[in-house]
Amino acid sequence: MTAIAIANLKGGVGKSTIAVVTATQLASRADGRVLLLDLDHEQRQSSGRWAVTTGDPLEIGQPYHAQLGFDVLVAADMSDIPELGGWEHVVIDCAPGARNIGVGAGLADAIVVPWTDKTSKEAADDVREAFDYIPIIAVRNK
């Protein structure tokens, strides 16, 4: 299993969009199953809610299947996350804030850190410093 976290301490930098596009691309190419793990349990701009295309909030810990070809699970903390061995790829959409990034990074093989301006670039650098033991890719999202 390969797990990729999409993370930044700041919101509004395109994390959810990148997570859904990444899960969609992996699902179109992978023989195994793909899971989008949505750690934004408040679901304001939830990638899981967007992928499942419902106007209603998704149940925490309840798996869904997106029409885009991958599974979706919304989690508030580690207790909501099942054994991940059943998926070939896991894309983790981390909510902004150090606590949620810590949960996602703890499961990830790599972290993608999107940023859009000086403020979010500084937040991306903070993620890079905090998780220097995991490969990190910083991507400017225009």
Side-chain angles (χ1 to χ4, degrees):
M1 179 201 66
T2 302
I4 303 167
I6 315 298
N8 193 316
L9 295 172
K10 187 177 185 310
V13 296
K15 292 184 302 294
S16 294
T17 301
I18 291 169
V20 170
V21 169
T22 301
T24 302
Q25 286 299 310
L26 288 170
S28 73
R29 298 172 186 193
D31 291 334
R33 294 181 22 189
V34 175
L35 173 67
L36 173 62
L37 179 57
D38 184 355
L39 295 180
D40 186 2
H41 62 281
E42 294 180 16
Q43 298 184 47
R44 291 178 300 275
Q45 294 295 323
S46 165
S47 59
R49 190 171 176 184
W50 178 32
V52 176
T53 61
T54 179
D56 300 323
L58 303 180
E59 295 287 326
I60 291 175
Q62 171 68 41
Y64 295 87
H65 188 73
Q67 292 178 344
L68 299 169
F70 54 86
D71 296 330
V72 174
L73 182 75
V74 177
D77 56 44
M78 289 298 289
S79 66
D80 301 322
I81 301 171
E83 172 61 40
L84 298 175
W87 288 278
E88 184 175 342
H89 302 287
V90 178
V91 178
I92 306 162
D93 184 13
C94 298
R99 178 183 174 276
N100 284 321
I101 291 173
V103 171
L107 299 169
D109 298 304
I111 302 173
V112 175
V113 184
W115 57 278
T116 57
D117 56 28
K118 185 177 183 203
T119 304
S120 61
K121 172 67 166 81
E122 290 168 359
D125 290 341
D126 290 343
V127 171
R128 183 178 287 138
E129 282 181 30
F131 301 102
D132 62 352
Y133 55 93
I134 299 173
I136 296 178
I137 303 163
V139 178
R140 183 153 192 214
N141 189 15
K142 293 184 179 185

